């Protein structure tokens, strides 16, 4: 269960609401709010406050909060920004501990506004007040009911979809638009600047509403990424959460020098966080609510096999394309199912999926065939396609199939194509809470989301997603001592290898030589062929400038190579300190992958897996996960990259040691979790040997942040 | 100009129409069609034919076509399939040369139906008749006007969007749906089974309609791919063409053994064909018409810089995300533009793009700011965002900005968010032909399509896209003689190299050795290191089974290697004939790419470029183009793959000889064009050396088809 906060309760179940700044003037927001609150049917006490007292809508107007009688536990402040601090003090004096601040003119405008907002927050903390806003349009609950917005009527139809939004304008649009789309809202919260209460607080609070079946979020970011993930995950185990996250091109200006850092956009971290939290990410506003309706109204499917029932071929083909595009498949109808369908349909009808009943299909045929399909064990869900039928009415067909849909435990969505000729059907379906979409493409995405939700819950309930391997041999203290008090900057490769080794990640022995002769001696001890690398930790892409020599096969090659590497490096980076030359045995076997970790500004440590080597940024064959990744997430990172697929073996590449890769990934992730000062750390390449032979870090870089 | 066909003219400008199968019974399609034809306002002669004669809707009913008086040049046949051949004969006897066959029961049902359809086509050819259908709902023209469909009223609003469709049900849905979306249709054609007239014929015919500003297509395939491309290209130079192509998962079951063949799905060929033809491909039905409206109603932008004008921050952020996702950019507003905006707006407004006028923005402010933005040289197009405004009406804002939009030569789209509160604005914009969309996401895609269309026309008009390089030294005759009469199957590598060399593609010398000693002698002549490859043309992936040895550095290595290669091959393919072992100098410099060509069933030769090596199918870093590719297409293939981008140089890889790659690609393409019997041919790898040093085929395979 998500962690609710009793101090937020007055927002959704106030005993009495005071409107500070209520107005008689219909052009003022203070009038609109007063009207909405009264017209919402709110059953608690309503108190209007305005320096000009008198009465408004038959209710008394008080000159100040002090004179407002009991009960009152929520204040809605519709006064200019400058007056807010004093109003908050008055709230506190009057014993009100929750306030909604509608006014703008705070942090979103300038530094004076930011200072005013900070002052308000300080006051709130001092007096135990919770604040929604500032710069918001308030909240509403259609079932309590309660409406603290100042929006033009009509308000929303009561329903089962909750909406929590960083944008007030989108709230206004969604309230109005939802009506046309035929769905109602349960609760709606405009978060504004979030001086105090934020998206996570409200997500949790709204989730406890019994009328809310699905939560939708419009997010421009998150206030505390890790808390959001933790709480959203708890919520999404109970109720589906769908989010539209915008602002993807407001890239955080991170200074990064590793491949991992360069590749990990903040959107990758958001995607990883949403996956972890079970939050479904919509790409458009329409998807957000297309999916919300299906999630609110449909049972979940047992699998990804869909039956398509149509009275025409063309839309059936469109449906098949869309279903397959979204990872669903056409159910293979059994001989029995086809035999049952045959009894209902003309000879020319298509009995295989998509089932095409032909243009003359009657309401009875639609209903009978849908009943057969939903009864078939090979069918997990169904899409009914309904262009304007030439011989019957769409409304008649809707009436015939709705009882069939009601009596089934499988989800059914309807692609209802047209406008005037389908209007009656639209109304029937909406009244019956059967999700209908104008074309098969959108209907298909809704079915895909239902399947995704079902799979998520199954995975969570069977505990798979939580099973993080227990890793032996991680010497946390040793690394702590080692990193203690170090200056920010790059570690040497030897140091990185020490840290990796302490966490049980195998590294290929590397030795520092201070002279050509010493290098040759070390090579002789290790065995040829060897690799020489300049020891200059701050320099990226050493190999590009002749700082690395591969495949040196004898003493002479090493002696000459030493000089070459040092000379090349002096030329390329005249100022860079070099500490000598590393000698390492050359390993050519196995496959190369990259694993890395960075600290994301929102979500903390994030790990990456993918195709390594020098072209990693060009190929972009990488996947991300919050650290530490679950077993399922680890598997998904491997399966969703070519580097990971190849580990199963490919052509003459034998199967590689996948468990060793996962183990190294988990250890690196744990390292990033344990030491947030490791701003970037990556192993490139990690050489993965054949099954059972392990994986070994060949090269690695790490940078300590502040 | 596209090539119109005079024999198709009666479909869109008949002097008289005979309805065979007209009916008094309102439940019959023959009644619906008669009603639609009369009510459409068709000004030519209408003749009803039915064995029960009398009169219908005040017009005489004739017992047969023979008795129909002049003028009559189009017959609409609404009788069952079995009667169609006789009806076609009657048409011919009556001097009618165009017929629409509505009935189903032909090729789409069974082999008897297919035979009947073939019979109809044969009759049509014999008698010089053109047929639309069978199994279609006919066509309509809202401006002539003419309606030969039997659909339930209301018919479509007259407009400027034409729709040509393989699916009749989609026609019915679109006619009804378009009304709700606020756009009208000019012509609509349901193609049915296309026994005679096909999508290309109708595309061309409809394009000549002066009322049609944009053509939309619903395609389940194309009848003659090359002709479609040629004609659609001519059409799209005059008017925009947008297509929804479905059936992407009905993959053609090609037998392929090359990488190129394995990677080239039929959708890749369709994408290449649409690109060539200038046809804009929509992914969903809604996109098809979202884009059609913008293309029909807006001027084209001069570039990709968009100004966003909003009264709220949230939708502005959503707009920015969507614009950037679709390859557009936010215009950087100049100091002058910002100064002009400043005069119109409150101090807290945002003068940088997106321009946020704040919630109080009035109609006058919307209009003034939009005028400033459209007048700014740094702005190519604009998106106006309009959630329900809290202080004003959306309708008032619409009225204020429409004149500004009318007087600008730059495209403007509107994201009008809501339902009831924006209804008046919706109506104003629709009446004014300003494209409006419910949310910024869809509005952004429309702007992107306008930019794409503008760029396409610019490229075509400057002749870039047509400039295929003239290639010297292609010995067509020599290859013809060589391929003449050969059996289908794989060519040997030497043979493929001969063919490539004849077309001027450099190949790395390869020599066949029949013994270890001969191999060593050849290697000595060529210079070490060398590569040995088993000569077994039918075997793919030779290297996986030890059939290839690299980097042999001396005579002894070659002698031993010969035996190894032969032994490995005998083990791996006991039955396969081997003709000896190829010896080739080892080339390690440069970059590896793959180039290939296959014959697509729909569109003929298609070329591929991308990342080569053994992992080509895993990396899927490839692009396709119809062969021969234009200069622009060639450049795009390179720029849209990592393999191609890398040719500019990457880290320590020096810039490679891109012109040599393009030259090889064009030559290979021309080879595939000249010799359709080359079912698959590919060079993998083509080694691309440094700038000015050329590119050379290291390995190549080719298969002759039938």
């Amino acid at each position: 269960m998500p962690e609710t906060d009793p101090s937020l309760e007055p927002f959704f179940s106030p005993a009495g609401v005071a409107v500070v700044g209520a107005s008689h003037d219909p052009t003022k927001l203070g009038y609109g709010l007063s009207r909405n609150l009264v017209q919402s049917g709110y059953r608690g006490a309503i108190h209007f406050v305005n320096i000009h007292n008198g009465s408004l809508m038959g209710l008394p107007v008080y000159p100040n909060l002090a004179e407002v009688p009991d009960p009152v536990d929520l204040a809605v402040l519709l006064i200019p920004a400058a007056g807010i601090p004093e109003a908050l003090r008055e709230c506190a004096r009057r014993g009100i501990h929750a306030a909604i601040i509608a006014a703008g003119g705070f942090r979103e405008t300038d530094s004076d506004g930011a200072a005013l907002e900070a002052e308000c927050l300080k006051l709130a903390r001092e007096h135990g007040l919770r604040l929604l806003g500032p710069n918001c349009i308030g909240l509403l609950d259609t079932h309590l009911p309660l409406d603290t917005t100042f929006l033009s009527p009509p308000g929303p139809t009561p329903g089962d979809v909750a909406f929590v939004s960083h944008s007030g304008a989108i709230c206004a649009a969604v309230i109005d638009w939802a009506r046309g789309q035929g769905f109602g809202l349960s609760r709606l919260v405009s978060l504004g600047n979030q001086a105090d209460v934020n998206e996570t607080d409200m997500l949790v609070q709204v989730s406890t509403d019994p009328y809310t079946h699905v939560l939708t979020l419009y997010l421009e970011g998150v206030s505390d990424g890790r808390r959001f993930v933790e709480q959203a995950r708890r919520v999404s185990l109970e109720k589906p959460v769908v989010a539209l996250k915008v602002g993807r091109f407001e890239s955080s200006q991170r200074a990064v020098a590793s491949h991992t850092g360069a590749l990990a956009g903040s959107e990758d971290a958001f995607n990883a966080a949403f996956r972890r939290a079970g939050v479904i990410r919509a790409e458009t506003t329409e998807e957000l609510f297309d999916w919300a309706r299906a999630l609110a109204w449909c049972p979940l499917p047992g699998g990804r096999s869909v039956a398509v029932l149509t009275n025409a071929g063309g839309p059936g083909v469109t449906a098949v394309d869309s279903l397959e595009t979204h990872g669903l498949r056409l159910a293979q109808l059994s001989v029995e199912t086809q035999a049952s369908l045959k009894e209902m349909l003309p000879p020319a009808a298509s009995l295989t999926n998509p089932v095409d009943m032909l243009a003359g299909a009657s309401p009875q045929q639609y209903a009978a065939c849908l009943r057969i399909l939903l009864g078939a064990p090979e069918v997990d869900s169904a899409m009914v396609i309904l262009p304007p039928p030439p011989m019957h009415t769409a409304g008649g067909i809707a009436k015939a199939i709705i009882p069939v849909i009601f009596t089934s435990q499988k989800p059914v969505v309807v692609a209802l194509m047209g406008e005037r000729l389908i209007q009656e059907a639209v109304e029937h379906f909406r009244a019956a809470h059967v999700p209908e979409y104008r074309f098969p493409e959108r209907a298909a995405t809704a079915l895909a989301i239902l399947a995704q939700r079902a799979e998520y819950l199954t995975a969570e309930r069977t505990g798979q997603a939580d099973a993080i391997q227990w890793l032996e041999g991680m010497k946390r203290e040793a690394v702590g001592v080692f990193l203690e008090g170090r200056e920010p900057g790059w570690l040497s490769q030897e140091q990185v290898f020490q840290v990796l080794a302490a966490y049980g990640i195998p590294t290929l022995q590397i030795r520092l030589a201070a002279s050509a002769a010493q290098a040759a001696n070390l090579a002789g001890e290790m065995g040829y062929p060897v690799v020489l690398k300049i020891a200059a930790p701050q320099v990226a892409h050493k190999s590009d400038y002749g700082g690395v020599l591969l495949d040196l096969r004898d003493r002479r090659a090493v002696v000459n190579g030493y000089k070459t590497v040092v000379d090349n490096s002096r030329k390329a980076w005249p100022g860079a300190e070099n500490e000598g030359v590393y000698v390492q045995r050359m390993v050519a076997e196995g496959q190369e992958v990259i694993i890395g970790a960075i600290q994301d500004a929102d979500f903390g440590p994030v790990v990456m897996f993918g195709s390594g080597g020098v072209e990693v940024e060009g190929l972009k064959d990488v996947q991300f996960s919050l650290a530490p990744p679950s077993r399922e997430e680890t598997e998904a990172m491997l399966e969703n990259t070519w580097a990971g697929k190849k580990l199963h073996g490919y052509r003459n590449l034998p199967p590689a040691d996948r468990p060793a890769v996962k183990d190294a990934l988990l250890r690196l992730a744990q390292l990033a979790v344990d030491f947030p000062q490791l701003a970037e750390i990556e192993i490139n390449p990690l050489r993965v040997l054949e099954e059972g032979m392990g994986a070994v870090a060949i090269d690695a870089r790490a940078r300590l942040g502040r």
Side-chain angles (χ1 to χ4, degrees), chain A residues 423-448:
Chain A
Q423 205 48 54
E424 189 197 338
V426 167
E427 281 158 25
H428 287 311
F429 285 124
R430 287 176 177 178
H433 282 190
V434 173
E436 40 72 41
Y437 304 95
R438 235 14 97 249
F439 289 99
E441 295 96 330
R442 284 168 71 175
T445 70
L447 284 181

Side-chain angles (χ1 to χ4, degrees), chain A residues 245-261:
Chain A
K245 154 71 177 62
V246 301
R248 62 182 65 203
F249 287 94
E250 295 172 356
S251 56
S252 59
Q253 299 297 319
R254 263 197 300 250
V256 289
S258 68
H259 293 298
T260 311

Side-chain angles (χ1 to χ4, degrees), chain A residues 248 251-272 594 596-609 616-617 620 622-626 637 679-682:
Chain A
R248 62 182 65 203
S251 56
S252 59
Q253 299 297 319
R254 263 197 300 250
V256 289
S258 68
H259 293 298
T260 311
L263 283 164
S266 70
E267 290 307 301
D268 293 299
F270 264 99
N271 286 331
I594 185 171
I598 57 142
Q599 305 290 338
D600 180 76
D602 287 314
F603 298 102
V606 170
V607 283
M608 183 181 90
F609 168 84
V616 48
E617 286 163 51
K620 292 193 179 68
V622 293
Q623 288 279 307
F624 296 87
S625 201
L626 295 196
M637 290 170 83
E680 309 176 64
I681 180 165
E682 85 187 358

Side-chain angles (χ1 to χ4, degrees), chain A residues 247-306:
Chain A
R248 62 182 65 203
F249 287 94
E250 295 172 356
S251 56
S252 59
Q253 299 297 319
R254 263 197 300 250
V256 289
S258 68
H259 293 298
T260 311
L263 283 164
S266 70
E267 290 307 301
D268 293 299
F270 264 99
N271 286 331
F274 286 156
R275 265 198 308 276
R276 171 72 58 87
V279 171
I280 297 161
R281 182 169 190 172
E283 295 296 322
T284 68
T285 315
E286 285 175 311
E287 275 183 356
L288 183 66
F289 294 103
D290 277 358
W291 298 349
R293 280 182 289 152
L295 289 162
W297 297 346
C298 293
L300 293 177
R304 293 190 163 255
S305 295
V306 183

